[in-house]
């Protein structure tokens, strides 16, 4: 009897062992899922808290009215850079230095200074926070003997010339500069012909639109079309389609001419954000006047009749996606080479 009891007990233990292990594994999986969910919730709460803090900090520097902007700009008059001053490939940063929102010599720029200047120009604080931090990790020049802490510690200051370092923050397919590996082999030098291509695309679109309106003069014109015609009378406006087409043409030129062309996802995101910054920060509601565009790019000077109109943060994410897709969907193509004569 004892032997039979012992055998039955052993068999029962053997049967229950797998179910116990399965139960424990199920409990562990549930615990892991719970930890992951709690971590995601905690991260989300942290990000929301950070956004609120950044927004509060940035609101200290945001210009609330046009009158405030006029007074502020009077305290920051435009001065052309001297031969010893440093400038970079970004017209907006150069403009901020020319007006003294950043050090006029382009040197020893701290992250708080860069953040404050970006917010003053109209960049939402949340974007300005992350954009202003990027150069202080990208421009580091570490020594082989530096300790591990050096890799984690950001720079204290940067200068505008460092923004021309290829593929650090600067990238191929600029709106107004040539690629680093194409003449004049400088990412800082402004290329008038490249910039004018964007203006010509806008002018061609505006002429086609005017012609389309004139062809339909016998039809009833609604109020919206009248408003569009009034806007055209004020001068040429560059819209999102013009910038998308120009960017695609520059991209195709780089593929054709630059043997060291590089355009990965990181560079595409930079290209996209720059396009949005042009249209929504230097411009407003996806358009920018030709005079304003020329002032920022050619003179690197804040236009007299311009003032910042900061876009809202959340809609800006939608604009970024629209810009990303806008370049992809652009139908702009390079002209084909003429056939050779026999």
């Amino acid at each position: 009897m004892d032997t039979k009891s012992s055998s039955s007990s052993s068999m029962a233990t053997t049967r229950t062992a797998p179910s116990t292990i399965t139960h424990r594994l199920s409990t562990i999986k549930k615990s892991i899922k719970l930890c992951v969910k709690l971590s995601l919730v905690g991260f989300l709460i942290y990000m929301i808290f950070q956004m609120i803090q950044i927004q509060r900090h940035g609101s200290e520097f945001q210009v609330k009215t046009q009158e405030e902007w006029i007074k502020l700009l009077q305290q920051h008059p435009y001065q052309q850079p001297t031969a010893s001053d440093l400038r970079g490939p970004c017209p907006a940063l150069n403009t901020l230095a020319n007006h003294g929102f950043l050090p006029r010599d382009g040197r020893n720029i701290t992250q708080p200074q860069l953040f404050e200047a970006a917010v003053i120009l109209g960049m939402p604080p949340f974007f300005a926070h992350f954009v202003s931090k990027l150069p202080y990790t990208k421009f580091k020049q570490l020594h082989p003997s530096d300790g591990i802490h050096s890799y984690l510690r950001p720079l204290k200051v940067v200068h505008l010339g460092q923004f021309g370092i290829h593929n650090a923050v600067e990238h191929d397919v600029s709106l107004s500069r040539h690629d680093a590996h194409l003449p004049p082999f400088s990412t800082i030098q402004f290329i008038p012909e490249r910039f004018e291509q964007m203006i010509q695309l806008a002018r061609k679109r505006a002429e086609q639109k005017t012609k389309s309106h004139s062809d339909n003069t016998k039809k009833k014109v609604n109020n919206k079309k009248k408003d569009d015609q009034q806007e055209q009378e004020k001068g040429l406006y560059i819209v999102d389609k013009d910038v998308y087409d120009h960017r695609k043409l520059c991209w195709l030129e780089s593929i054709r001419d630059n043997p060291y062309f590089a355009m990965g996802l990181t560079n595409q995101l930079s290209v996209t954000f720059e396009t949005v910054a042009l249209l929504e920060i230097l411009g407003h509601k996806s358009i920018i006047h030709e005079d304003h565009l020329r002032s920022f790019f050619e003179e690197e000077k804040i236009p007299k009749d311009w003032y910042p109109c900061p876009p809202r943060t959340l809609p800006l994410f939608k604009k970024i996606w629209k810009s990303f897709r806008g370049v992809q969907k652009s139908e702009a193509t390079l002209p084909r080479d003429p056939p050779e004569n026999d």
Side-chain angles (χ1 to χ4, degrees):
M1 291 294 292
D2 293 340
T3 303
K4 291 181 178 180
S5 298
S6 176
S7 177
S8 300
S9 177
S10 176
M11 291 176 64
T13 303
T14 304
R15 290 194 194 100
T16 56
S19 62
T20 303
I21 294 173
T22 303
H23 177 70
R24 288 179 178 177
L25 288 174
S26 177
T27 303
I28 292 172
K29 287 180 180 179
K30 289 180 180 179
S31 299
I32 292 173
K33 288 181 179 179
L34 180 61
C35 289
V36 170
K37 289 180 180 179
L38 290 175
S39 298
L40 290 174
V41 171
F43 178 75
L44 182 61
I45 293 173
Y46 171 78
M47 289 301 296
I48 292 173
F49 177 76
Q50 283 290 98
M51 286 183 67
I52 294 172
Q53 290 295 102
I54 293 169
Q55 186 65 41
R56 285 179 178 176
H57 178 57
S59 63
E60 299 175 9
F61 310 108
Q62 285 181 321
V63 180
K64 305 299 187 296
T65 65
Q66 188 173 0
E67 290 72 21
E68 288 183 12
W69 173 252
I70 293 173
K71 291 180 181 179
L72 182 62
L73 201 58
Q74 289 174 349
Q75 300 170 12
H76 293 268
Y78 170 78
Q79 293 180 13
Q80 287 188 346
T82 65
S84 61
D85 292 339
L86 296 178
R87 292 295 181 264
C90 177
L93 293 181
N94 293 344
T95 298
L96 288 167
N98 290 343
H99 281 272
F101 290 108
L102 292 175
R104 291 187 183 272
D105 63 357
R107 294 176 170 83
N108 299 321
I109 303 170
T110 65
Q111 189 272 328
Q113 286 177 320
L114 191 57
F115 170 79
E116 179 180 341
V119 171
I120 288 174
L121 198 62
M123 184 177 291
F126 180 76
F127 285 94
H129 173 77
F130 291 99
V131 169
S132 65
K133 281 183 174 293
L134 186 62
Y136 296 85
T137 59
K138 286 286 189 177
F139 298 157
K140 291 195 292 186
Q141 298 176 339
L142 298 172
H143 190 274
S145 61
D146 288 341
I148 190 65
H149 62 279
S150 300
Y151 292 85
L152 304 175
R153 187 173 58 234
L155 293 170
K156 293 182 179 180
V157 296
V158 298
H159 58 75
L160 290 183
Q162 289 175 292
F163 284 83
I165 300 173
H166 185 52
N167 276 341
V169 172
E170 182 277 336
H171 50 77
D172 292 333
V173 193
S174 166
L175 294 174
S176 59
R177 271 73 173 168
H178 276 168
D179 295 353
H181 292 99
L182 294 176
F185 306 105
S186 169
T187 60
I188 296 175
Q189 184 172 330
F190 175 74
I191 307 298
E193 298 81 8
R194 194 177 186 90
F195 173 76
E196 284 296 330
Q197 178 177 253
M198 182 163 47
I199 304 295
Q200 293 306 317
L201 286 168
R203 185 165 288 117
K204 182 178 179 181
R205 174 193 50 77
E207 290 173 354
Q208 290 175 344
K209 185 176 180 180
T210 302
K211 182 180 179 180
S212 176
H213 280 311
S214 63
D215 291 341
N216 297 323
T217 51
K218 294 181 180 180
K219 297 180 180 180
K220 184 178 179 180
V221 181
N222 57 28
N223 292 332
K224 185 178 183 302
K225 288 185 177 180
K226 289 180 180 179
D227 292 340
D228 290 341
Q229 289 173 344
Q230 290 174 357
E231 288 297 321
Q232 289 297 330
E233 290 173 0
K234 296 178 182 178
L236 179 65
Y237 283 85
I238 288 79
V239 303
D240 51 5
K241 182 183 183 302
D242 306 323
V243 184
Y244 300 157
D245 289 348
H246 177 55
R247 185 76 81 174
K248 184 177 180 181
L249 290 176
C250 293
W251 196 325
L252 294 175
E253 288 172 359
S254 292
I255 294 174
R256 182 191 64 191
D257 301 332
N258 184 0
Y260 304 101
F261 172 63
M263 184 53 64
L265 179 59
T266 302
N267 285 350
Q268 286 191 52
L269 292 175
S270 297
V271 163
T272 301
F273 185 78
E274 288 172 5
T275 302
V276 174
L278 169 63
L279 292 167
E280 306 298 330
I281 298 174
L282 300 185
H284 185 51
K285 294 183 178 180
S286 299
I287 62 172
I288 182 170
H289 196 279
E290 178 188 3
D291 291 344
H292 292 177
L293 188 70
R294 290 190 181 279
S295 183
F296 279 115
F297 275 77
E298 293 181 335
E299 300 179 77
E300 296 182 333
K301 177 181 180 182
I302 296 175
K304 291 182 178 180
D305 58 343
W306 182 92
Y307 63 94
C309 299
R312 290 180 296 170
T313 301
L314 293 180
L316 207 58
F317 282 102
K318 185 177 180 180
K319 296 286 186 181
I320 290 173
W321 174 247
K322 181 183 177 183
S323 174
F324 186 86
R325 295 290 293 157
V327 177
Q328 290 182 327
K329 293 181 178 181
S330 169
E331 297 179 354
T333 57
L334 294 177
R336 295 183 178 181
D337 294 332
E340 297 181 0
N341 296 326
D342 294 335

